Amino acid sequence: MEEDRSWMYNGRRKRNQVSADWILKTTDFLDRAFSRDTSGDGVMCPCNYCNNTRPQTRDTMRKHLFKHGFRPEYTVWVYHGESDSDPTRDDVLRQRTFDEDGDAEVHRMDDMVDDVRDAHISVEEEEPEPIARAFYEMLTASNQPLHAHTEVSQLDAITRLLAVKSQFSISIAGFDALLNVFGALLPQGHKLPLNLYEAKKFLSALNMPYEKIDVCPKHCMLFRKENSEKTHCDKCGESRYMEVQNSYGEKKQLKFPMKVLRYLPFIPRLQRLYMSEPQAKQMTWHKYGHRYHPNKIVHPADAEAWKQFDPDFSEFASDARNVRIAIATDGFNPFGMGAASYTCWPVFVIPLNLPQVFASRNTTCSSV
């Protein structure tokens, strides 16, 4: 049965005005939190000011809690003993959804949620960078039950519904209508979003940026940086935008590009690989990973080209965390063989540090 922790907020009306029950249970909380502090470096402070981002001593944390109170909705103490390593956590707040065929869309959504849950708080004094902070807030939210009478977390509920929307191609209006029906059926005070916009906003920490770049229809140049304002290709003279002809035979450009490159920046994706402690360790596998077949090439690091690269670039090779990548490209036609031979040319960027079983999951792709 879930422990009632409403005392964290009901027992403190304002600064230094707290109930005896609040003092007693806050002391118990401090005892529990600092019983795990074997290093003496302090414990993440859950006050409304530190927001679980700064380690503090017991005395300082006690003062902060009296002054600022607990951060909102911190009823599952993920930073103070109720971490994702707890044996009951998967049973209580993690209920995977699989359809009868083991739908791949649901599996991918579950993998995405797992990646977020793998994120670990830094024990350093400075504030986390904005991307990391968003992940940590998402981690906390993932442990909030959808309502008081369920074992399904808010994050699980939203990701499951979005997976179903994608699987069955539900329209935005249809998805919003479903959320309204579900919301009316749930108990008062539930945390299900009102519409698709609110659902995507909740998952915004999972989003990865991408950039759309206009391209010459004949692939001569990109309209970016110093060429971002040009309307025609410097080499072939082709129009950047679609053109229409008026009744006088004059051509006019519309604001619809003829061809677009979708570029997924590589650096944010590399940063995400290092935001999960288990995955960050895997990023050094190429150097420290165990080979069960030492006489066979089981990883590109076992090949002669890799071994020759290390002495040629010894400074880069000295740190196993430096990322080595492979780039591959080929064209394909997503609309069937009846159309043009090639309509898409994806460029795949593959991190080679990882064991090969993980590398395919973390491939970055840009396409024209």
Side-chain angles (χ1 to χ4, degrees), residues 7 17 27 39 84 91 93 165 190 199-200 239 264 271 275 295 301 316 319 332 346 348:
W7 61 267
Q17 187 176 343
T27 302
S39 63
D84 55 0
D91 298 331
L93 292 176
K165 177 188 181 302
H190 68 81
K200 288 187 173 181
S239 173
L264 282 63
Q271 291 174 334
M275 290 187 69
N295 298 324
F316 179 89
D319 191 339
F332 72 97
F348 295 94

Side-chain angles (χ1 to χ4, degrees), residues 117-182:
R117 284 204 173 112
D118 283 339
H120 283 68
I121 283 286
S122 169
V123 296
E124 298 177 353
E125 289 286 348
E126 65 268 15
E127 286 277 344
E129 62 175 359
I131 296 177
R133 185 183 182 88
F135 259 79
Y136 302 148
E137 291 175 354
M138 177 65 73
L139 179 64
T140 301
S142 70
N143 290 276
Q144 302 297 322
L146 184 63
H147 56 82
H149 306 289
T150 185
E151 296 177 348
V152 178
S153 70
Q154 183 185 16
L155 180 61
D156 276 341
I158 294 174
T159 52
R160 291 180 189 185
L161 288 171
L162 288 174
V164 172
K165 177 188 181 302
S166 176
Q167 180 184 355
F168 296 102
S169 301
I170 301 175
S171 67
I172 296 177
F175 187 75
D176 290 348
L178 284 176
L179 289 181
N180 287 332
V181 172
F182 291 150

Side-chain angles (χ1 to χ4, degrees), residues 15-294:
R15 180 175 177 175
N16 293 335
Q17 187 176 343
V18 296
S19 66
D21 183 60
W22 188 93
I23 296 175
L24 179 62
K25 292 184 177 180
T26 299
T27 302
D28 290 340
F29 167 80
L30 293 172
D31 292 339
R32 175 174 177 171
F34 282 89
S35 66
R36 303 169 59 90
D37 182 27
T38 57
S39 63
D41 296 329
V43 174
M44 290 296 171
C45 182
C47 77
N48 206 21
Y49 175 76
C50 295
N51 201 22
N52 280 324
T53 61
R54 300 175 180 176
Q56 305 288 1
T57 64
R58 180 190 175 100
D59 187 54
T60 301
M61 185 185 296
R62 181 181 60 81
K63 292 178 181 178
H64 279 204
L65 292 174
F66 270 83
K67 182 177 180 180
H68 306 291
F70 286 93
R71 59 159 291 171
E73 298 185 347
Y74 187 55
T75 55
V76 181
W77 299 337
V78 291
Y79 304 120
H80 303 90
E82 295 179 355
S83 65
D84 55 0
S85 60
D86 286 348
T88 59
R89 185 178 186 280
D90 286 344
D91 298 331
V92 175
L93 292 176
R94 184 73 182 108
Q95 297 181 357
R96 286 183 177 272
T97 299
F98 298 100
D99 64 4
E100 293 179 357
D101 299 323
D103 182 69
E105 188 68 34
V106 180
H107 285 280
R108 285 194 295 271
M109 189 67 73
D110 285 336
D111 288 340
M112 177 180 67
V113 175
D114 288 338
D115 287 341
V116 176
R117 284 204 173 112
D118 283 339
H120 283 68
I121 283 286
S122 169
V123 296
E124 298 177 353
E125 289 286 348
E126 65 268 15
E127 286 277 344
E129 62 175 359
I131 296 177
R133 185 183 182 88
F135 259 79
Y136 302 148
E137 291 175 354
M138 177 65 73
L139 179 64
T140 301
S142 70
N143 290 276
Q144 302 297 322
L146 184 63
H147 56 82
H149 306 289
T150 185
E151 296 177 348
V152 178
S153 70
Q154 183 185 16
L155 180 61
D156 276 341
I158 294 174
T159 52
R160 291 180 189 185
L161 288 171
L162 288 174
V164 172
K165 177 188 181 302
S166 176
Q167 180 184 355
F168 296 102
S169 301
I170 301 175
S171 67
I172 296 177
F175 187 75
D176 290 348
L178 284 176
L179 289 181
N180 287 332
V181 172
F182 291 150
L185 298 176
L186 292 174
Q188 199 170 24
H190 68 81
K191 298 180 181 179
L192 192 70
L194 298 175
N195 49 47
L196 179 63
Y197 172 79
E198 293 294 333
K200 288 187 173 181
K201 184 178 179 181
F202 177 83
L203 296 176
S204 59
L206 295 173
N207 293 342
M208 296 298 286
Y210 75 94
E211 179 182 355
K212 293 195 293 186
I213 305 172
D214 294 350
V215 185
C216 168
K218 296 184 178 179
H219 307 100
C220 302
M221 64 179 287
L222 302 177
F223 294 99
R224 66 189 297 263
K225 293 185 176 179
E226 67 275 6
N227 300 318
S228 61
E229 301 299 323
K230 294 182 178 180
T231 58
H232 291 81
C233 176
D234 290 342
K235 183 176 180 180
C236 67
E238 286 285 336
S239 173
R240 172 180 179 177
Y241 302 105
M242 295 181 181
E243 293 182 333
V244 295
Q245 201 170 36
N246 61 20
S247 57
Y248 299 101
E250 299 172 339
K251 289 186 177 180
K252 178 183 177 181
Q253 284 186 331
L254 304 177
K255 288 301 180 182
F256 301 102
M258 296 287 288
K259 194 176 290 288
V260 176
L261 165 72
R262 288 171 175 82
Y263 169 61
L264 282 63
F266 191 45
I267 299 300
R269 285 159 176 80
L270 290 183
Q271 291 174 334
R272 180 160 293 187
L273 290 176
Y274 283 100
M275 290 187 69
S276 164
E277 183 177 354
Q279 192 156 258
K281 291 179 180 178
Q282 294 290 352
M283 289 295 289
T284 63
W285 191 94
H286 66 94
K287 187 172 183 178
Y288 304 117
H290 177 69
R291 270 67 164 174
Y292 292 97
H293 303 284

